[in-house]
Every structure is written in C-alpha cells, then in structure tokens.
Amino acid sequence: MKDPSFRRSLALFRAFLREPEDPETVYTLLARDAADQVERHVPLEGKVVVDVGGGPGYFTREFRRRGAQGYLFEPDAAVLGDRSARGPRDAVVADGYLLPLADGAADVTFSSNVLEHVEDPHTFLSEMARITRPGGLIYVSFTNWYSPWGGHEWAPWHYLGAERARARYERRTGRPAKHRLGENLFRIGVGPTLRHVRGRTDVDIVSARSRYWPVLPELVTRVPGVREFATWNLLLILRRCS
C-alpha cells in the first residue's frame, strides 16, 4: 500500500477495528507496513534489527522474512508465551531500560507502540540510541495521550478523565481494563517528545510524522496544539550520530 494514502489509512483503520477478534491479521498487516517504512531509509537484507517490546513477535518475524537478522527483546514473559503469532523461539526477556546488548550492536533499533507504556521514555530512548551503531536507524512510534486513541481500550472517554473512562469500560464490558494510567499507560505528548529529541546530541531526526495520516503526515506534527489531537500516532525515524 502506498504510504501515505487514503487507501492505506482506511485499510489499517478497518484492521484495527477487528483487532480483538483477529489479532493475527491486524498485526501481520501492521508489521508489513512498518517494515516498508523502515526500508524507505535502509535495506533490511543482512541487517541486525533489534525489536524492543515487540510482544509475541509479529515485527521480528516480518524483519526476518525480509532477510534481516531480527532479535526480539520483550519484558513480559507471559506475552512471549503467546505463540499465536508464531513468533521467534529465541526471544529474550529483557527490560527496555537496560538491554543486554553491547553499544552499537544493532543496525536498526525498532519500537512500535511501546513508549506510551513506559514511565521514563527518555531513558528508554537513550537505551535504544546506545545499542544502535553510529549511522544506524532508530524507529520509534507511540500513541500520544491526547489523540482519539490515547486511552487505548477506554478511548475516547479518556478525554473526560482516565479513571472515569476506565470505570465506564469495565461497566460496559464486564471485564477489567487492560490499562491503568500511571501503571502501564502514561501521558506522553507530541510536542514534549519532539523537543526532547531535538535537544539530544546522540541522534538526528530523519522524519517526524503521523504514522497513519493519509496526506502530508509530517505537516500535522508541526502545528502546536493541533498535533496533540490530530497526530494519532507519532512516528520518529532517527539516525544515530557518529
């Protein structure tokens, strides 16, 4: 699918609506889309790709399919136990704050929709930069808090308050919410993240854009205020400085 395009955005949106019933199809499609985005900047064949927080391994599986040496590091052992994605058997249980890798071990460091789930995103980004070789690529995307999907399963009611939204979800579905603000979901904004990354000396910004926006995806991230709602999901492509 051409990126950006209305056709691509619509296909991804329709897939996300089916995520609870068919995660295999959804995340396989998303992994292919993300790998396409990476390959716009670097060929994957023969590259060492480290997937940080990649769950059961959809992204790592796609990177390997394209000839990369893909390695999955996931902090939740229970998630790794879910083999519905036919993920890699050699995945490593590891915290994104302290990865068991040498400096500059990876050609590409990848993280999809993880940053909103970590309490200290700056340290997380520093660790991703540390393990990326000089000149290597860092792919980071996350759902910002004020986007329509910022509350995850209890969105868009998070605009009325996190606790109220979570309680509403639990009343409506009869099951506990997966996410709780301040425990495994955190408020993260587009503007503060961009300011932090621009102030770093270890990375350069190659691209800062909305991951799913169908037209001019880099323009929406340049408008203060509006970008916090309209970006939906911020994608940063960074280059590790020499």
Side-chain angles (χ1 to χ4, degrees), residues 110-238:
F110 179 91
S111 173
S112 174
N113 295 331
V114 176
L115 211 60
E116 70 266 32
H117 301 296
V118 300
E119 186 173 7
D120 185 356
H122 297 174
T123 298
F124 187 91
L125 288 171
S126 293
E127 187 66 354
M128 292 189 70
R130 180 189 67 80
I131 67 169
T132 307
R133 67 167 178 79
L137 204 71
I138 301 168
Y139 179 112
V140 180
S141 79
F142 66 87
T143 303
N144 46 298
W145 173 250
Y146 286 111
S147 80
W149 200 247
H152 286 52
E153 74 270 26
W154 21 277
W157 302 99
H158 63 294
Y159 289 130
L160 301 179
E163 288 303 310
R164 179 181 297 179
R166 186 179 59 80
R168 179 187 181 279
Y169 172 85
E170 293 178 350
R171 287 195 307 271
R172 184 171 59 85
T173 64
R175 58 178 182 268
K178 179 180 178 181
H179 298 97
R180 184 181 290 269
L181 191 67
E183 293 184 7
N184 60 359
L185 182 64
F186 299 89
R187 291 184 176 93
I188 184 168
V190 174
T193 302
L194 289 175
R195 287 191 291 273
H196 168 74
V197 173
R198 287 169 181 150
R200 298 184 68 103
T201 59
D202 54 355
V203 296
D204 291 323
I205 298 178
V206 176
S207 177
R209 55 166 288 189
S210 170
R211 186 176 184 180
Y212 308 122
W213 200 250
V215 291
L216 301 174
E218 294 192 354
L219 179 62
V220 68
T221 64
R222 299 174 185 171
V223 185
V226 172
R227 63 190 175 193
E228 300 298 336
F229 298 92
T231 299
W232 280 72
N233 190 288
L234 179 66
L235 170 59
L236 294 172
I237 303 291
L238 311 175

Side-chain angles (χ1 to χ4, degrees), residues 55-73:
Y58 295 96
F59 297 102
T60 298
R61 182 177 66 182
E62 180 63 21
F63 292 138
R64 291 182 178 182
R65 191 182 70 84
R66 299 189 186 210
Q69 300 176 50
Y71 300 96
L72 172 60
F73 293 83

Side-chain angles (χ1 to χ4, degrees), residues 25-108:
T25 297
V26 175
Y27 289 107
T28 297
L29 177 63
L30 187 61
R32 290 174 180 170
D33 186 74
D36 286 343
Q37 290 176 325
V38 172
E39 286 201 304
R40 292 173 68 175
H41 302 278
V42 60
L44 285 169
E45 179 72 35
K47 297 295 191 299
V48 175
V49 181
V50 172
D51 179 5
V52 184
Y58 295 96
F59 297 102
T60 298
R61 182 177 66 182
E62 180 63 21
F63 292 138
R64 291 182 178 182
R65 191 182 70 84
R66 299 189 186 210
Q69 300 176 50
Y71 300 96
L72 172 60
F73 293 83
E74 165 60 44
D76 189 345
V79 171
L80 290 177
D82 176 10
R83 295 302 173 188
S84 62
R86 299 189 299 277
R89 298 286 176 175
D90 54 354
V92 177
V93 177
D95 195 316
Y97 292 141
L98 189 63
L99 295 166
L101 291 169
D103 295 357
D107 297 300
V108 177

